[in-house]
């Protein structure tokens, strides 16, 4: 179990919701798809690190700041004498390495992840030194996708290819020393420095009045839903969901998109496009939230 688990960022959650309820611009759509692909690769890597047998502390998805510059760490694995700093890439297809540059075949140059790795490693080291820690950092670029091939892969660079993942796990498990309180203190320090502020994320603009209303399908994200008292049925994929769960899930989307709005029966009725009666919506809200205010001024917190 990771000491700091990975979760979907607002930068990923928001465009996924907006992609269902509106038309994202080509730029925002591509940014969302890139984030989605990257997150899927990181989760795949997590499935490996969660099975580690060595004594370690795993910190996933750290967003840190040094001298007004924000940088991100996909996974940091703390063992007795080393910090394994992992930059995870979910590239797919045929690539080749030439003269310090990375290309996708036939010859489309992409940003070399080693540059990002080196930059973030330097910033992490300075951050640790400023906090009174001096521990070696071992950085790696993890190519997690099994359909990734790198031709002319350099032997002197910290690349971990898909065929080397099992060996990398064995390398981590070869650490036999035990952790001390100072390692936990280091982990707690880094978690305390983690940024949750969405102002550091690239978020699309949107307006309540322009979003399509309705209950989304949890399986295919369709809005073609019929709602009954006990279950909601998707007309696109046939998926069924308990009505109360579907309403509460869509309320959470509403809160994420518009945290400034008060959750009222009328607002949720409109957000769900009138698929359920206000009486039914009120009873569902009362199972999860606390009612505040009275009469027409009541809302749920």
């Amino acid at each position: 179990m990771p000491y700091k688990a990975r979760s979907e960022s607002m930068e990923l959650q928001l465009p996924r919701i907006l992609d269902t309820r509106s038309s994202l611009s080509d730029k925002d759509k591509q940014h969302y798809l890139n984030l989605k692909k990257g997150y899927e690769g990181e989760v795949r890597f997590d499935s490996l690190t969660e099975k580690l047998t060595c004594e370690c502390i795993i910190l996933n998805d750290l967003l840190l700041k040094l001298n007004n510059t924000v940088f991100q760490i996909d996974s940091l694995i703390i063992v007795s004498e080393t910090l394994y700093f992992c930059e995870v890439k979910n590239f797919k297809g045929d690539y080749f390495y030439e003269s310090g540059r990375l290309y996708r075949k036939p010859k489309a140059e992409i940003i070399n992840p080693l540059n990002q790795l080196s930059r973030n490693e330097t910033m992490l080291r300075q951050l640790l030194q400023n906090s009174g820690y001096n521990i070696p950092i071992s950085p790696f670029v993890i190519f997690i996708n099994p359909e990734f091939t790198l031709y002319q892969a350099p032997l002197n660079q910290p690349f971990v290819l898909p065929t080397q993942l099992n060996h990398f796990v064995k390398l981590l498990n070869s650490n036999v020393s035990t952790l001390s309180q100072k390692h936990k203190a280091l982990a707690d320090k880094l978690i305390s420095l983690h940024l949750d502020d969405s102002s550091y994320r690239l978020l699309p603009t949107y307006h309540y009045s322009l979003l399509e209303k309705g209950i989304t399908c949890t399986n295919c994200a369709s809005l073609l839903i019929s709602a009954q008292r006990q279950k909601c049925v998707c007309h696109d994929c046939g998926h069924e969901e308990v009505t109360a769960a579907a309403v509460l899930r869509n309320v959470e989307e509403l809160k994420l998109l518009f945290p400034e709005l008060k959750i009222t029966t009328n607002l949720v009725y409109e957000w769900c496009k009138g698929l359920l009666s206000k009486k039914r919506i009120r009873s569902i809200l009362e199972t999860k939230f606390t009612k505040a205010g009275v009469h027409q001024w009541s809302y749920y917190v």
Side-chain angles (χ1 to χ4, degrees), residues 1 33 43 58 72 103 156 174 184 236 243 252 274 277:
M1 177 69 70
L33 292 177
V43 170
I58 302 172
Q72 187 167 355
Y103 299 87
N156 62 341
S174 66
K184 184 178 182 300
D236 273 344
T243 296
E252 291 302 321
S277 69

Side-chain angles (χ1 to χ4, degrees), residues 217 219-220 222 224-225 231-241:
C217 174
N219 184 57
C220 71
S222 170
L224 294 177
I225 297 288
K231 67 179 180 180
C232 291
V233 180
C234 177
H235 292 278
D236 273 344
C237 71
H239 180 77
E240 296 183 359
E241 184 179 12

Side-chain angles (χ1 to χ4, degrees), residues 28 34 63 66 74 82 107 167 172 222 227 262 265 269 298:
D28 287 336
N34 290 339
L63 188 66
L66 176 69
D74 291 338
T82 307
K107 197 164 186 178
H167 177 75
L172 295 174
S222 170
K262 289 184 177 180
T265 300
Y269 176 81
S298 64

Side-chain angles (χ1 to χ4, degrees), residues 104-222:
R104 177 162 188 169
K105 296 183 71 174
K107 197 164 186 178
E109 184 177 0
I110 66 170
I111 297 175
N112 190 339
L114 288 176
N115 297 336
Q116 181 181 8
L117 183 74
S118 177
R119 168 188 175 274
N120 290 349
E121 178 195 357
T122 298
M123 298 188 73
L124 175 61
R125 181 174 289 106
Q126 292 180 15
L127 184 68
L128 292 174
Q129 290 173 350
N130 292 345
S131 300
Y133 292 94
N134 186 16
I135 182 170
I137 300 174
S138 189
F140 291 92
V141 176
I142 311 293
F143 294 106
I144 194 67
N145 197 310
E147 297 183 48
F148 171 82
T149 300
L150 181 59
Y151 296 96
Q152 302 170 190
L155 298 177
N156 62 341
Q157 299 294 350
F159 288 154
V160 177
L161 304 178
T163 55
Q164 298 172 317
L165 287 171
N166 288 339
H167 177 75
F168 181 70
V169 170
K170 290 179 181 178
L171 170 67
L172 295 174
N173 282 332
S174 66
N175 292 277
V176 295
S177 300
T178 58
L179 300 180
S180 66
Q181 188 60 35
K182 72 174 184 178
H183 295 98
K184 184 178 182 300
L186 169 59
D188 290 337
K189 177 64 177 179
L190 289 172
I191 291 175
S192 73
L193 296 174
H194 171 68
L195 302 171
D196 288 317
D197 194 338
S198 62
S199 64
Y200 297 103
R201 308 290 191 176
L202 182 61
L203 302 176
T205 58
Y206 54 92
H207 302 280
Y208 179 86
S209 62
L210 300 180
L211 298 183
E212 188 172 351
K213 310 305 187 291
I215 296 176
T216 59
C217 174
T218 186
N219 184 57
C220 71
S222 170

Side-chain angles (χ1 to χ4, degrees), residues 8-16 18 24-25 27-29 31-32 35 196-206 256-257 259:
E8 288 189 343
S9 67
M10 186 179 294
E11 192 179 15
L12 179 56
Q13 294 181 63
L14 279 182
R16 185 183 64 240
L18 296 175
L24 291 175
S25 68
K27 181 180 178 181
D28 287 336
K29 179 82 169 187
H31 182 63
Y32 161 59
L35 288 174
D196 288 317
D197 194 338
S198 62
S199 64
Y200 297 103
R201 308 290 191 176
L202 182 61
L203 302 176
T205 58
Y206 54 92
L256 182 69
L257 290 170

